[in-house]
Amino acid sequence: MNSSSSVKKNRLALALMLVVVAAVAILLSLPAFRFNSCVYTKKSPNTFVGDETYQAVSAEVEQVAGELRADGIEVTVNETVTERTNSKGETTSLVTFTINEEFTKNGWAFLGAGLTSSWVLMGILACLVLSVVCALLGTLPGMDTSYRALDSRARLLRSASYWLALVAFLLVPVFFMTNTYTLSRRVALYSGGIATEGKEALFAKLNGFLFGGAAGENIDAALKDLSFSNLYTLWALLPCMLVAVIAGIQLRFGAIKHTLLRGLLYGFVIVLCLLILYPYYVMLITAFRSNAETTDMYFQHIFPTEWKFENLKHIINQGVPRYLLNSALIAGGATAIALICGIPAAYAMARMKFKGKKIFLGFVIMSQMFSPVVLLIGISQLMGTLGLNDSILGLMLINAAFNQAFAIWLLRGTFVAISPEMEQAARIDGCTVFGSLWHILLPMAAPGIVTTLIFVFINAWNEYTISTVLISTAANRPITVGITQFSSFNMIEWQYLFAASLLATIPVVILFMFIEKHLTAGLTSGGVKG
């Protein structure tokens, strides 16, 4: 990049940042939120629309509204009619008149409100101003310097400018979320008497912010019917901050398109990870809540007010470790049986030729069509005949049987993908059929074997229906059946249920930790010199 081109692009980036600052100042000066608060209510029972009583009360309400308008207060008059039929079959009517005050607030008004959203807005402005300052300090001394030839000081300042602009961009939706949470959810909880902690401090701030302190002791009534709507003015901050981010990218990296695409990719991955991990987050925090917080339908606290680690002690005393051991034995045994039987069968399907091979493969596929629920009665009778009812060994064999078809089919595909010349070379060197399978084929098939192992283990670990029918002794229950003791027809002990579920995920996580490196090694074990 030549000098004149660098100067032109750097000047354009700085100009865009200064324009963003001016645009933000203008946006904060425009009305951003419209509020509606009830300032007067008049109820008139046994009144029908159009009668004398209705007209008298309506005139009284209009007089009050006129006095408020004379004081410079913008109000609207609303009425609602409620009709009911009493036990005598007579229709009664209640007319309710309300006078609502409407007013707007701009962005600057939030800065002095002392609300959580006020601090977020201050953070947005501070990041934006610091971003511009860093951009000026890092660019003006070397306006004609390409981003590739920047010294350490200029690189640091321009990087700080970019990251500060990005933070300001990300804080814009946070401002709206915290604002909505405070003005809608928290006010509703306090006004309904559901929550009390922090009410006086918040209502005092809202009294000063919304009513200039005029509400006084009537602040509860003023906020009870408070509603607000977003005029979407401040949402224009998002494109403004995005322009600042793009300017920062130009100053620091030069390649705007490449950097934006990479940023979008990272953003997509982060959002996807948050969506995937959210259920685990709920499970984690619920496992350490008190019973009162788990049954709180209003979900007042995001995190537990007091972490109840004794929940783990309780489920341990209820036999959860025993259930985990049973599940580990069942899943581990079923996986071992499925692999021991599946590897030779898959090898035969891949390498040997015999009559009925296609029929057998078709039978293997068809066996996957039958659900364990359909075969429950037959399975129960068979296990009873063999004396395996209410036994861990019986569950091992059943889980291995139901996963055997998939294991054979998956392993056969893995063996078919491996060139038979490798085994033939081993045979020439003196290996037997079993030796070539053990020393050559199995190491090269490690990825498929590991995949089969994971699939069978997780299926056996999560199995519930057959275990519920066959297991009657508490000591032999797997974890999927054991945790149902915390759920009944009239009550679910969520804190214990999630605590047990949290422990149930640990063995699977450990399995992946140990297998992941073997899976990675298996992916490259098929390479040969040629």
Side-chain angles (χ1 to χ4, degrees):
M1 184 183 298
N2 56 45
S3 176
S4 61
S5 176
S6 297
V7 171
K8 183 178 179 180
K9 291 185 176 181
N10 289 339
R11 285 179 177 175
L12 178 60
L14 291 178
L16 286 175
M17 284 195 163
L18 294 176
V19 170
V20 166
V21 173
V24 169
I26 295 173
L27 290 173
L28 292 178
S29 303
L30 299 176
F33 292 92
R34 176 179 285 113
F35 295 89
N36 191 306
S37 176
C38 180
V39 296
Y40 179 83
T41 302
K42 180 70 175 182
K43 295 182 178 181
S44 181
N46 299 320
T47 302
F48 293 89
V49 177
D51 62 12
E52 294 181 0
T53 306
Y54 171 84
Q55 294 177 1
V57 175
S58 178
E60 179 185 344
V61 173
E62 286 294 341
Q63 181 180 357
V64 175
E67 293 174 355
L68 292 173
R69 292 190 182 102
D71 294 334
I73 302 175
E74 182 182 352
V75 297
T76 57
V77 179
N78 301 309
E79 65 176 75
T80 57
V81 180
T82 305
E83 293 186 353
R84 294 180 181 177
T85 303
N86 58 24
S87 58
K88 298 180 180 180
E90 300 173 343
T91 301
T92 61
S93 177
L94 172 67
V95 180
T96 303
F97 293 90
T98 58
I99 299 178
N100 296 323
E101 177 187 1
E102 292 187 356
F103 55 93
T104 59
K105 295 288 183 180
N106 60 25
W108 294 116
F110 280 91
L111 292 178
L115 305 174
T116 304
S117 55
S118 304
W119 294 105
V120 176
L121 186 58
M122 289 182 186
I124 294 174
L125 297 179
C127 288
L128 179 60
V129 172
L130 289 175
S131 175
V132 174
V133 171
C134 290
L136 292 172
L137 294 177
T139 306
L140 291 178
M143 184 70 73
D144 58 346
T145 304
S146 169
Y147 68 94
R148 293 190 180 91
L150 294 174
D151 56 26
S152 58
R153 178 181 174 276
R155 187 180 295 109
L156 178 62
L157 287 171
R158 294 192 187 187
S159 297
S161 175
Y162 161 70
W163 285 109
L164 287 168
L166 181 61
V167 171
F169 173 78
L170 297 176
L171 284 179
V172 173
V174 175
F175 166 76
F176 284 95
M177 287 190 295
T178 54
N179 202 41
T180 302
Y181 173 77
T182 300
L183 297 175
S184 180
R185 177 172 169 77
R186 289 190 65 187
V187 169
L189 291 175
Y190 289 145
S191 299
I194 300 167
T196 57
E197 184 180 355
K199 174 182 177 180
E200 293 184 2
L202 177 61
F203 276 29
K205 293 176 182 178
L206 291 176
N207 185 19
F209 170 53
L210 298 175
F211 309 108
E217 296 180 356
N218 297 322
I219 183 64
D220 285 21
L223 292 177
K224 184 176 182 180
D225 298 319
L226 177 72
S227 63
F228 75 99
S229 58
N230 190 342
L231 299 179
Y232 299 102
T233 305
L234 291 185
W235 278 112
L237 290 175
L238 271 177
C240 288
M241 298 303 171
L242 181 59
V243 171
V245 172
I246 294 175
I249 292 174
Q250 173 60 45
L251 292 175
R252 176 59 186 90
F253 303 104
I256 296 178
K257 182 179 178 181
H258 174 74
T259 306
L260 283 178
L261 290 176
R262 180 173 293 236
L264 288 175
L265 176 62
Y266 287 159
F268 172 77
V269 172
I270 291 172
V271 171
L272 184 63
C273 290
L274 290 177
L275 292 175
I276 294 174
L277 295 176
Y278 179 74
Y280 297 96
Y281 154 77
V282 174
M283 179 175 65
L284 176 63
I285 64 171
T286 307
F288 298 101
R289 288 186 184 273
S290 64
N291 183 60
E293 288 187 349
T294 58
T295 55
D296 177 18
M297 62 181 295
Y298 299 101
F299 201 70
Q300 299 180 47
H301 305 285
I302 298 178
F303 294 100
T305 54
E306 181 182 357
W307 291 79
K308 297 289 185 179
F309 292 97
E310 55 266 28
N311 291 345
L312 293 177
K313 181 179 179 181
H314 177 82
I315 64 171
I316 289 174
N317 293 335
Q318 294 296 317
V320 169
R322 174 68 183 183
Y323 304 147
L324 289 172
L325 177 61
N326 292 340
S327 287
L329 292 174
I330 294 169
T335 303
I337 294 172
L339 289 178
I340 291 173
C341 298
I343 290 176
Y347 179 80
M349 294 296 103
R351 291 289 188 261
M352 299 180 181
K353 296 181 180 180
F354 55 89
K355 292 183 179 180
K357 178 178 177 180
K358 292 184 178 180
I359 297 176
F360 180 77
L361 286 175
F363 174 76
V364 168
I365 297 175
M366 288 179 59
S367 65
Q368 290 292 94
M369 299 170 57
F370 296 98
S371 171
V373 178
V374 178
L375 306 175
L376 262 179
I377 297 176
I379 291 172
S380 180
Q381 292 177 347
L382 177 62
M383 290 295 104
T385 302
L386 298 176
L388 295 176
N389 260 338
D390 194 19
S391 69
I392 294 177
L393 177 60
L395 289 181
M396 282 185 192
L397 296 174
I398 293 172
N399 280 285
F402 276 105
N403 289 286
Q404 190 69 73
F406 177 83
I408 293 174
W409 191 257
L410 182 61
L411 290 171
R412 175 189 174 275
T414 302
F415 291 153
V416 168
I418 299 174
S419 174
E421 280 79 6
M422 302 293 295
E423 297 169 77
Q424 295 171 4
R427 297 277 186 85
I428 294 174
D429 291 339
C431 263
T432 61
V433 174
F434 178 79
S436 62
L437 172 65
W438 182 261
H439 295 289
I440 304 299
L441 197 60
L442 291 186
M444 297 183 67
I449 295 174
V450 170
T451 303
T452 306
L453 184 151
I454 292 174
F455 178 87
V456 176
F457 185 91
I458 292 179
N459 271 7
W461 182 270
N462 293 332
E463 197 283 317
Y464 172 77
T465 307
I466 296 177
S467 302
T468 305
V469 174
L470 296 185
I471 301 298
S472 56
T473 304
N476 291 334
R477 293 174 180 170
I479 187 63
T480 51
V481 179
I483 62 176
T484 57
Q485 65 178 302
F486 304 118
S487 173
S488 61
F489 289 106
N490 59 352
M491 183 180 67
I492 300 178
E493 297 175 299
W494 292 107
Q495 69 277 22
Y496 301 136
L497 187 64
F498 278 104
S501 301
L502 185 63
L503 291 183
T505 61
I506 295 177
V508 179
V509 173
I510 293 175
L511 173 67
F512 273 94
M513 289 174 60
F514 280 99
I515 284 183
E516 187 268 339
K517 60 181 180 181
H518 297 291
L519 178 61
T520 305
L523 291 174
T524 58
S525 62
V528 294
K529 294 181 179 180

